[in-house]
Amino acid sequence: MTRHLKYLLPLAVFGVMVWFLGRGLYLNPREVPSPLVDKPAPVFTVADLHRPELQFASENMKGKVWILNVWASWCRACRDEHPLFVELGRQGIVPIVGLNYKDQRGDALEWLRALGDPYVASAYDVDGRVGMDYGVYGVPETYVIDKQGIIRYKHIGPVTAQSLQTKVLSLVKELQG
Amino acid sequence: MKQLVACLMMVAIILAVPVAHAKEAATMAADPVLEKRVMALAYELRCLVCQNQSLGGSQSDFAIDLRNEMREQMDQGKSDEEVTEFMVQRYGDFILFRPPVKSTTLPLWIGPFALLAIGALVLFIHLKRRKRTINTAPLSDEERKRAESLLDNK
């Protein structure tokens, strides 16, 4: 038995290594865990996208579970995920705030007119300052923020029907209580 | 007159070219010492969109934005540590090329040395055991004779 063990042990170690390396192949290196999850969402006040003379303040959302969707008209993947948010906005389950990131106001408004506007409010982050505070490094990104203003989930890249349902909406329902 | 106009136009074009280029080039701090500090730190930080490049070496929008932010903060008198802290708070430890020693990264730091120590220990025990088996099994007379004859034949 011990003799067998002598030969089986290296094989077992090899197996463990193969498992780790194999798993590494299927991880997405672009999905960097955000240090902001479970931390208070950065508070911001920026111009409203639709009415430049007005301001959008994130404080206004306090007491509600809400979704912050970071997008830009120059972002291809935003176009892919947008119909899902349009549909979600129509259902009215949860307020979605759009953060228009480093964009031209005219382009952004045109984009919303053409593809639909699911946002209860649109913040205009022209210089990307708000995005920087949220650790945005590629649009689209989607955050779920709870009633206390804590970021509970961050989705990097376009959401899919499946990830929206299983990750975002199930969490939203749980947080809404 | 025509020649004068053409000449003036040429001058205008020559003057305009550097201006057009100035917009393309990355912004730099007026103070070269500060700029050096910004770039030194930027080479220590990972560009998250281009992952295998540093913030210093990348020309992506993301890297340019963050360099501008670093420049601004350092200009306001923030230390390298404070600027690094600002980045880590937003983008996590992943932005650092040198991972900090923390409870979660301890295996990374100690792991190789631990494996080396285990390997050395196994080797040591194995050699000691081998020595003992060699010492405790002396040759029988017959074996000695065979060994001698083999050596002599040579």
Side-chain angles (χ1 to χ4, degrees):
Chain A
M1 187 59 213
T2 38
R3 183 174 297 176
H4 285 306
L5 202 68
K6 215 166 160 183
Y7 296 107
L8 282 177
L9 200 65
L11 191 69
V13 171
F14 178 71
V16 169
M17 277 176 66
V18 166
W19 185 82
F20 270 105
L21 294 174
R23 202 169 141 57
L25 284 179
Y26 292 98
L27 291 178
N28 182 356
R30 298 216 160 262
E31 271 173 29
V32 181
S34 172
L36 285 164
V37 172
D38 292 331
K39 299 254 168 61
V43 175
F44 63 93
T45 304
V46 288
D48 188 279
L49 179 67
H50 297 281
R51 286 151 296 172
E53 70 282 4
L54 296 182
Q55 302 248 298
F56 171 80
S58 64
E59 295 264 89
N60 294 349
M61 301 306 291
K62 216 151 202 183
K64 278 183 236 171
V65 179
W66 57 292
I67 289 177
L68 180 71
N69 179 229
V70 186
W71 67 280
S73 67
W74 44 263
C75 146
R76 176 66 245 220
C78 299
R79 203 171 272 265
D80 294 338
E81 68 165 11
H82 200 67
L84 293 167
F85 283 112
V86 171
E87 178 56 32
L88 183 62
R90 197 173 296 141
Q91 290 168 356
I93 304 169
V94 56
I96 313 166
V97 173
L99 181 70
N100 182 239
Y101 178 72
K102 295 183 75 173
D103 210 344
Q104 303 287 334
R105 194 188 292 272
D107 294 347
L109 290 174
E110 184 49 46
W111 199 85
L112 288 179
R113 231 186 326 266
L115 299 171
D117 182 357
Y119 305 121
V120 294
S122 285
Y124 184 44
D125 184 24
V126 62
D127 53 7
R129 277 300 158 98
V130 178
M132 194 179 286
D133 280 342
Y134 276 79
V136 170
Y137 60 87
V139 275
E141 288 191 5
T142 302
Y143 299 80
V144 177
I145 298 166
D146 73 7
K147 290 174 184 167
Q148 283 77 41
I150 311 282
I151 296 178
R152 299 302 290 266
Y153 180 69
K154 174 184 180 180
H155 185 93
I156 297 164
V159 297
T160 58
Q162 200 205 353
S163 65
L164 192 65
Q165 204 53 247
T166 55
K167 299 249 176 70
V168 177
L169 287 181
S170 60
L171 178 65
V172 163
K173 274 177 197 138
E174 189 191 314
L175 292 174
Q176 281 173 335
Chain B
M1 185 62 203
K2 241 180 193 170
Q3 264 179 342
L4 186 69
V5 170
C7 194
L8 279 176
M9 272 173 77
M10 283 293 283
V11 169
I13 287 165
I14 289 163
L15 283 178
V17 167
V19 174
H21 274 232
K23 208 184 156 205
E24 285 285 304
T27 41
M28 286 220 292
D31 177 2
V33 181
L34 180 76
E35 187 58 27
K36 220 173 188 175
R37 254 184 77 207
V38 169
M39 292 316 285
L41 186 59
Y43 278 108
E44 290 286 312
L45 300 175
R46 188 193 313 270
C47 169
L48 288 167
V49 275
C50 25
Q51 300 206 354
N52 289 328
Q53 261 185 318
S54 71
L55 281 183
S58 169
Q59 284 306 323
S60 67
D61 282 353
F62 178 79
I64 292 170
D65 279 358
L66 287 195
R67 283 206 299 271
N68 288 341
E69 180 68 29
M70 290 164 73
R71 198 169 287 128
E72 211 165 283
Q73 291 195 8
M74 284 183 176
D75 201 33
Q76 287 164 8
K78 292 232 175 110
S79 69
D80 287 12
E81 287 73 30
E82 283 169 317
V83 175
T84 308
E85 182 58 28
F86 175 91
M87 295 299 166
V88 170
Q89 266 174 14
R90 282 155 183 77
Y91 302 101
D93 286 337
F94 191 65
I95 200 167
L96 304 171
F97 274 124
R98 298 170 206 263
V101 185
K102 302 202 296 192
S103 58
T104 45
T105 57
L106 222 52
L108 274 180
W109 283 92
I110 305 185
F113 300 107
L115 286 177
L116 186 70
I118 291 170
L121 196 71
V122 168
L123 183 68
F124 180 73
I125 291 170
H126 185 75
L127 286 178
K128 214 162 182 199
R129 213 178 268 168
R130 188 158 158 268
K131 212 171 178 184
R132 202 185 306 142
T133 47
I134 291 167
N135 286 345
T136 51
L139 298 177
S140 64
D141 286 345
E142 201 181 318
E143 281 170 332
R144 186 176 296 278
K145 244 178 235 164
R146 221 180 121 222
E148 271 166 7
S149 71
L150 280 170
L151 286 170
D152 285 342
N153 275 352
K154 213 183 169 190

